[in-house]
Amino acid sequence: MRILSVVGTRPQLIKAAALLPELRARHDVLLVDTGQHWDERMAGTFFAELGLPHPDHSLGVGGGGHAAQTGRMLAALEPVLEAEGPDAVLVYGDTNSTLSGTLAAAKLGIPVAHVEAGLRTGDPVSPFPEETNRVLIGRIASLHFAATRRAAENLRAEGVPDERVLVTGNTVVDALLTAVGKIRSAPPPIPGLDEATLASADKIVVVTGHRRESFGPGFEAICRAIGRIAESFPAALIV
């Protein structure tokens, strides 16, 4: 099978890194990078760090508002799909790159497989553009790879047939486990921290918070959880 995989942001690179080696062992897989995250720190270094191959097509579509960016991606993706003729298009998550890959494939009659399908905020008038993308992709995709049973239930509640929904687990967790193995064998330097500090820590907790959904109460909950870790493990190192 010929599969065209569309990425464009750091989270998508992480998900793709977990899947592409397995897919390429069985199928002909092409990688297209829309360029939604375009600078070296946002995405460039991730290809090398995650062991991802150089994209077969780099569209260079980054910046601008949601509508303009999505429109440019659609225009850039269509000729690539027509030239490559994939049997399926694989998309990840809920970004403008994901929506554009889904729409471009659907308009050409190419089946779409969606990784991390079925996530919902539960807010019918969500202010987050990602929620709009999720719902639209959920209506269009042919196969829905849900990370959790709850995500699968969300899709079924929206009328997606059972045979099109598969609970596959979370590719980010797969990537994390791979990273843990690498870190244990060769710990990378952490800016501002010396080896003695690292060696004295009972646990090392790395926290990122970037979603709009995390603003306000969401991030307060994250901080409370970090506080509980610090209380339970006084020598924990929070990064």
Side-chain angles (χ1 to χ4, degrees):
M1 177 180 287
R2 188 171 177 82
I3 301 170
L4 190 142
S5 180
V6 178
V7 298
T9 65
R10 287 172 295 168
Q12 289 164 343
L13 296 179
I14 293 170
K15 298 177 181 77
L19 281 179
L20 286 186
E22 297 297 325
L23 287 174
R24 285 193 155 164
R26 298 167 176 81
H27 304 285
D28 177 17
V29 181
L30 300 167
L31 183 63
V32 176
D33 176 23
T34 67
Q36 184 170 341
H37 283 175
W38 67 89
D39 74 13
E40 191 65 13
R41 290 176 299 174
M42 285 280 278
T45 59
F46 276 59
F47 281 94
E49 291 175 1
L50 295 170
L52 281 167
H54 188 76
D56 298 283
H57 297 275
S58 295
L59 306 183
V61 180
H66 288 288
Q69 186 182 80
T70 303
R72 295 200 311 275
M73 287 179 185
L74 276 168
L77 280 165
E78 185 175 69
V80 172
L81 293 172
E82 289 177 327
E84 296 292 359
D87 299 300
V89 168
L90 183 65
V91 296
Y92 309 79
D94 53 22
T95 69
N96 291 339
S97 297
T98 312
L99 178 61
S100 299
T102 300
L103 288 171
K107 288 178 178 295
L108 293 172
I110 302 170
V112 175
H114 183 204
V115 173
E116 201 179 78
L119 297 183
R120 300 288 185 269
T121 63
D123 183 349
V125 288
S126 173
F128 309 121
E130 293 86 356
E131 181 76 354
T132 300
N133 293 346
R134 293 169 191 149
V135 173
L136 290 172
I137 296 162
R139 297 290 192 274
I140 297 169
S142 302
L143 284 175
H144 306 259
F145 299 125
T148 66
R149 292 187 182 89
R150 181 175 178 178
E153 290 168 1
N154 290 339
L155 291 164
R156 293 184 181 110
E158 293 174 2
V160 178
D162 284 351
E163 63 270 18
R164 294 191 177 187
V165 180
L166 296 171
V167 178
T168 56
N170 194 330
T171 50
V172 174
V173 174
D174 295 331
L176 175 62
L177 294 175
T178 299
V180 167
K182 291 179 180 179
I183 290 169
R184 284 176 174 164
S185 61
I190 300 176
L193 298 174
D194 55 34
E195 291 186 6
T197 302
L198 291 172
S200 65
D202 289 339
K203 288 186 177 294
I204 299 174
V205 182
V206 180
V207 182
T208 67
H210 71 285
R211 283 281 193 180
R212 283 188 272 289
E213 291 95 322
S214 296
F215 291 180
F219 210 84
E220 291 171 6
I222 292 172
C223 292
R224 287 195 295 271
I226 294 171
R228 289 194 293 272
I229 293 171
E231 291 174 0
S232 301
F233 301 95
L237 175 64
I238 311 295
V239 180

